[in-house]
Amino acid sequence: MGAALAMNIAEKGFGIAVHNRSSEKLDDFMENVGDLEDQVTPAESLDGLVAALGTPRAVIIMVKAGEPVDSVIESLSEVMEPGDLIIDAGNADFNDTRARHAALSEKGLNFLGVGVSGGEEGARHGPSIMVGGDREAYAPIEDIITAIAAKFEGDPCADWLGPDGAGHFVKTVHNGIEYADMQLIAEAYGLMRTAGVSLGDMAEVFANWNKGPLQSYLIEITAEILAVTDSPTGKPVVDIIMDKAGQKGTGRWTVIEALKLGQSATTIEAAVAARSWSAGKEMRAAAEDAFPGVRDAVDLANADLEAALLAARIIGYGQGMALLAAASEAFEWSLDLARVAEIWRAGCIIRSALLDEIASGTREGLQFDQLILSPAFVERLNETVPALRRVVAASVSSGQPIPAFAAALSYFDTIRRARGTTDLIQAQRDFFGRHGFERVDKDGTGFHGPWAE
Ligand SMILES: NC(=O)c1ccc[n+]([C@@H]2O[C@H](COP(=O)([O-])OP(=O)(O)OC[C@H]3O[C@@H](n4cnc5c(N)ncnc54)[C@H](OP(=O)(O)O)[C@@H]3O)[C@@H](O)[C@H]2O)c1
């Protein structure tokens, strides 16, 4: 990722010095730098890297998240001077970013926590970039960041979003939404596979969906992936891939932070859980034998699956946006949610046709921070949720696993009830713990029920 970003920066006409702790990687990079050689200064050490920069210096760190970031920051802070800038452009737990920002401020060093999305291809040719930290620290590098970012109809998909951990938090939630979207697509694929749809036909279905409201990078690559054959075996490539999904932490961080903020991004949580469960391959095989029960193919119309995916995708984005709003309030970031959606419209992994609509809907103002209550999405959900309900109902009664579809629908059905069932929860809490409750007919709190002593 670091190499791709460095090439992108050099290609846009900026001089850059580069360093990697493994000198052979640096040599490889310089061998492949081609015409950009004059723009790039290789540095064998961090000291050399810092010495190659003009002042005030700006260094972008793009290393494995966690301890390696702390160790590189530690080394850099010994050789950098007050007024210089360190930018962590990798993924980071925003709590770490806040702590690093505070610690470096004490040394007079500026620090930006920057989320970069788009994979290696994006980093090389135009990612979406989410900047967090002191606004004044961003100003000197803004031209570089906007030059290397993806553009949506000319608008750079990069911006300063808020102080300290705001950029990394937004990137984390972006990834959480990405987890949900990938899981929903995988569930649709699973339903079609068990119904006997061939991979070739499925690739066409996804390619057609990519021409409609589901148009997105993830649907597009799914169509491509399904059509690829593994050359040594002649089998479809998905058939030779082990069904165990990896994860590096951003999905889990999204869910943890959602719970800490009194939110619950259940569609994202279902996706994170599904990846975690996938690791227990042998246990799943034992459970398959132990519970033979119903496991029938579900006969679903393509149009129903398409609409169900759209409804669940909207609900997943909505949960992510509500989480951003809650974090913004808790950490006093004043996040511009519409701007967040705008800079996700190109370059990043969750780029989709829907994001332009989300940006416009959010710009008009969200009631209760709920994307799904914005007029355009009320209409879309009224149109598509019946299909989501048919997909969930048919899958559940046929024993097909659809954790993310089901989570999206459960959330939707729960929040569209003005009066729910937590009256009974409050009664139970008061019964065993005298926790008190509010009444529907009187103001105030702390009422108790007439329970027997
Ligand atoms: N890959 C993606 O699509 C993607 C997308 C967005 C964000 N990110 C984020 O970008 C960052 C970099 O990701 P990556 O995909 O390039 O791979 P990575 O495996 O996360 O990082 C590889 C780089 O980290 C360096 N490194 C590891 N431990 C180090 C240490 N203790 N001290 C100094 N350098 C160390 C490696 O050096 P050596 O070469 O010497 O091992 C290499 O340059 C991560 O935070 C990742 O989450 C990745």
Side-chain angles (χ1 to χ4, degrees):
M1 283 292 284
L5 211 58
M7 295 277 275
N8 188 354
I9 292 171
E11 190 182 69
K12 299 298 176 308
F14 301 99
I16 184 166
V18 293
H19 166 73
N20 192 299
R21 64 169 180 177
S22 312
S23 57
E24 66 277 11
K25 300 262 179 77
L26 186 61
D27 297 343
D28 283 354
F29 176 80
M30 290 310 294
E31 267 170 37
N32 292 316
V33 84
D35 295 348
L36 298 171
E37 197 175 355
D38 292 346
Q39 314 268 128
V40 182
T41 308
E44 292 291 340
S45 64
L46 275 183
D47 288 16
L49 177 81
V50 170
L53 303 175
T55 54
R57 304 170 188 85
V59 173
I60 301 176
I61 306 174
M62 199 67 174
V63 301
K64 206 171 158 62
E67 199 281 321
V69 175
D70 284 319
S71 115
V72 174
I73 289 178
E74 178 64 32
S75 307
L76 278 173
S77 62
E78 282 164 16
V79 284
M80 293 178 85
E81 293 172 342
D84 288 347
L85 168 64
I86 298 177
I87 303 157
D88 175 13
N91 287 331
D93 180 332
F94 91 110
N95 295 295
D96 292 343
T97 305
R98 284 165 71 84
R100 288 167 184 151
H101 178 267
L104 288 170
S105 293
E106 293 201 351
K107 296 183 180 176
L109 288 166
N110 293 309
F111 182 68
L112 295 173
V114 175
V116 176
S117 176
E120 221 170 295
E121 185 66 14
R124 176 66 185 86
H125 298 292
S128 167
I129 306 178
M130 296 145 253
V131 181
D134 297 337
R135 191 165 205 160
E136 313 75 65
Y138 176 54
I141 60 154
E142 184 169 0
D143 285 354
I144 303 176
I145 298 293
T146 51
I148 63 169
K151 310 287 178 304
F152 180 85
E153 296 175 358
D155 180 22
C157 290
D159 219 329
W160 175 85
L161 298 173
D164 58 74
H168 274 149
F169 191 92
V170 171
K171 173 62 175 21
T172 296
V173 174
H174 162 285
N175 284 25
I177 294 171
E178 176 185 312
Y179 271 58
D181 220 32
M182 290 169 74
Q183 174 64 22
L184 290 165
I185 292 170
E187 290 175 16
Y189 151 82
L191 291 172
M192 285 192 265
R193 280 216 94 162
T194 44
V197 180
S198 74
L199 290 171
D201 287 352
M202 221 188 288
E204 258 178 58
V205 169
F206 277 102
N208 281 329
W209 287 351
N210 201 42
K211 294 175 190 149
L214 281 178
Q215 189 282 318
S216 57
Y217 173 71
L218 286 170
I219 295 279
E220 179 192 325
I221 64 164
T222 302
E224 274 185 44
I225 289 166
L226 294 174
V228 174
T229 303
D230 171 55
S231 49
T233 59
K235 291 183 176 167
V237 83
V238 284
D239 283 354
I240 54 100
I241 299 177
M242 181 68 80
D243 55 334
K244 284 180 175 179
Q247 52 183 316
K248 282 191 169 172
T250 44
R252 191 167 55 235
W253 295 338
T254 307
V255 175
I256 291 170
E257 294 309 327
L259 290 174
K260 282 194 203 163
L261 288 163
Q263 302 282 313
S264 180
T266 48
T267 318
I268 299 170
E269 202 275 334
V272 175
R275 287 201 198 183
S276 303
W277 298 333
S278 78
K281 175 85 176 161
E282 286 168 16
M283 179 277 287
R284 286 188 285 120
E288 179 167 321
D289 292 342
F291 306 111
V294 61
R295 209 177 286 143
D296 299 335
V298 188
D299 188 17
L300 291 163
N302 279 346
D304 263 7
L305 260 184
E306 181 183 18
L309 259 178
L310 185 60
R313 172 180 274 181
I314 293 168
I315 292 166
Y317 272 107
Q319 289 188 326
M321 294 307 253
L323 173 54
L324 288 179
S328 177
E329 194 179 328
F331 301 108
E332 300 180 0
W333 287 335
S334 304
L335 279 182
D336 178 349
L337 293 185
R339 189 63 192 139
V340 171
E342 281 164 9
I343 67 170
W344 287 349
R345 288 178 301 183
C348 67
I349 303 294
I350 62 169
R351 61 187 184 261
S352 69
L354 206 57
L355 270 165
D356 202 22
E357 284 179 53
I358 293 176
S360 327
T362 311
R363 201 43 89 209
E364 284 161 21
L366 297 182
Q367 275 188 77
F368 307 104
D369 299 322
Q370 283 293 345
L371 178 71
I372 68 170
L373 287 178
S374 95
F377 288 104
V378 167
E379 199 181 321
R380 275 212 181 261
L381 285 171
N382 278 326
E383 279 162 18
T384 53
V385 165
L388 175 61
R389 197 174 300 291
R390 284 192 291 277
V391 167
V392 171
S395 304
V396 168
S397 57
S398 303
Q400 295 302 332
I402 38 126
F405 275 126
L409 183 61
S410 279
Y411 168 75
F412 178 82
D413 279 339
T414 306
I415 64 158
R416 71 183 182 101
R417 283 287 184 102
R419 181 160 172 85
T421 54
T422 46
D423 47 348
L424 181 61
I425 306 284
Q426 285 300 81
Q428 290 165 335
R429 292 179 70 236
D430 190 54
F431 188 100
F432 63 67
R434 283 192 65 77
H435 292 294
F437 50 76
E438 292 175 63
R439 295 183 62 108
V440 295
D441 54 354
K442 289 181 188 165
D443 288 338
T445 55
F447 294 100
H448 296 287
W451 324 120
E453 286 301 317

